[in-house]
Amino acid sequence: MPLQLPAGDFRAFIFDCDGTLADNMPLHFSAWTRAMEDFGGSYPEELFYEWGGVPTGDIVRRLNAKFGLSLDVDEVVDRKEHYYRESIPQVEPMHDVVALVREYHGKVPLAVASGGHRDLVERTLVALGIRDLFDAVVAAEDYDRGKPHPDPFLKAAEQLRAEPRHCLVFEDTETGVQAARAAGMAWVLV
C-alpha cells in the first residue's frame, strides 16, 4: 500500500535509514545478539525495538546502566558493526518507501538522517541501489545529540537548505518521531 503523505508545503523529504528505507532491523538484531554474546551480555528483543533509532554507542551505555554491566562502548560498537557489515548484502528495501524516493527524486531535495555510523549507512544505501538519489546523508558522526533530539533532522535540513517547517520526515520509530516533532517537522510513521 503506497504511503499517505500529510497535507503541507513540503520542500524537502528526510528519511531515516534502518527500518524506513531498509528492511534490515532483523539483520541489526542478529548483529547485536552476536556482539553482546561475545562480551557476555544480552540485548532483549523488546528493548531492541523500544530503543529503535537510538545511536549505537548510547545503546551500549543504556545496556550497561540497565543491567549493571561495564562493557567497553567502543569495543561492543565495533563488534556489532562488524557483524552488521557482513550481513549488508542480505538487506532488502522497504518497497513503498523506496518507491516514494524514486518518485520524488529530482522533484524535491532528499536526505537521509540516521543514528547509524556513516560507513554502514552508506553501504546500506549502496546495497539498495539508492545512494545516488539523495542530496545529503547525515550520520551519527555529524551531530552531537542523537534521536530523540532534533539534531539529525536539523542537520539534514541545513544541508538541503530547507526550513524545518517545510521538511517531511519518514521514520519507523517513536524515537524518530519525537526527534521530528522536536525539529518542528511533519512526519510519516512507516
Side-chain angles (χ1 to χ4, degrees):
M1 178 165 100
L3 293 172
Q4 298 298 311
L5 304 186
D9 180 19
F10 303 118
R11 301 177 191 171
F13 290 173
I14 303 171
F15 297 84
D16 174 51
C17 183
D18 298 331
T20 301
L21 291 165
D23 187 7
N24 60 352
M25 296 314 286
L27 300 177
H28 276 289
F29 181 66
S30 175
W32 270 113
T33 299
R34 291 176 67 193
M36 291 301 292
E37 286 173 355
D38 287 353
F39 292 100
S42 67
Y43 189 3
E45 190 170 11
E46 63 275 5
L47 276 183
F48 171 76
Y49 285 104
E50 181 182 326
W51 292 349
V54 174
T56 312
D58 290 347
I59 289 171
V60 178
R61 284 184 273 283
R62 286 182 178 193
L63 290 169
N64 279 340
K66 184 166 186 69
F67 296 110
L69 303 171
S70 56
L71 300 172
D72 182 278
V73 173
D74 292 333
E75 285 182 11
V76 175
V77 167
D78 287 347
R79 185 76 52 92
K80 182 269 173 184
E81 292 188 350
H82 168 76
Y83 289 140
Y84 175 71
R85 192 176 295 110
E86 289 180 342
S87 72
I88 288 176
Q90 301 169 45
V91 74
E92 293 290 330
M94 295 294 281
H95 294 286
D96 290 344
V97 181
V98 171
L100 188 91
V101 169
R102 292 186 189 288
E103 177 183 345
Y104 282 91
H105 173 67
K107 297 176 183 173
V108 296
L110 305 173
V112 173
S114 176
H117 287 95
R118 177 167 305 285
D119 175 59
L120 299 182
V121 173
E122 293 279 355
R123 286 174 186 251
T124 300
L125 296 173
V126 168
L128 293 173
I130 59 173
R131 173 56 187 96
D132 294 341
L133 302 179
F134 294 97
D135 302 291
V137 174
V138 173
E141 295 86 347
D142 298 320
Y143 50 81
D144 293 326
R145 298 178 310 159
K147 302 169 191 174
H149 298 286
D151 303 24
F153 295 131
L154 293 174
K155 179 61 97 172
E158 176 186 317
Q159 289 186 13
L160 295 177
R161 297 187 184 114
E163 293 181 39
R165 65 190 173 101
H166 293 300
C167 294
L168 180 60
V169 170
F170 296 82
E171 258 293 347
D172 69 313
T173 67
E174 183 54 37
T175 303
V177 168
Q178 289 173 16
R181 277 191 201 117
M185 299 177 183
W187 48 268
V188 172
L189 185 63
V190 176

